[in-house]
Amino acid sequence: MKRERKNFTEEFKREAVKLVGQPGATRAGIARDLGIGPDLLGRWCRDIAGTSKSDPAGTEKVSLDEYERMRRELAKVKTERDILRKVLGYAA
């Protein structure tokens, strides 16, 4: 006997993904409460977040200004790290 595939509205999917973002909520628990599989809910979360299977890292686009700010901040943190390594190396 063939099972009929359920179709869910976009609104239902968005509301389910919002529930995942609630404090203390687990994807498995929400999926169980809604009567769907946790993998399906995970796919909805990825789809709504704008990622797909071809982009598994979940990278997002950032503006050029934000990229430059992060690059400068990273350089500063690396410099601070190197200074601390030198200080701790001599003190140890």
Side-chain angles (χ1 to χ4, degrees), residues 3-47:
R3 273 188 4 186
E4 190 171 322
R5 185 178 211 147
K6 293 181 182 179
N7 290 322
F8 299 98
T9 64
E10 289 299 317
E11 181 182 5
F12 181 83
K13 293 175 184 180
R14 281 193 304 272
E15 292 300 319
V17 171
K18 282 183 186 177
L19 290 173
V20 173
Q22 298 296 321
T26 64
R27 188 177 294 165
I30 292 169
R32 185 177 51 249
D33 292 344
L34 295 176
I36 60 174
D39 294 335
L40 178 60
L41 184 56
R43 187 177 332 133
W44 291 350
C45 291
R46 284 191 306 273
D47 290 346

Side-chain angles (χ1 to χ4, degrees), residues 56-87:
T59 58
E60 63 181 64
K61 305 285 184 201
V62 295
S63 69
L64 185 58
D65 293 337
E66 180 70 7
Y67 174 77
E68 289 298 322
R69 185 193 65 76
M70 289 189 295
R71 190 180 60 74
R72 285 190 305 270
E73 184 177 342
L74 178 60
K76 178 182 171 190
V77 169
K78 282 183 175 182
T79 303
E80 291 171 351
R81 179 202 60 199
D82 293 341
I83 291 170
L84 286 172
R85 278 185 179 169
K86 288 179 183 178
V87 168

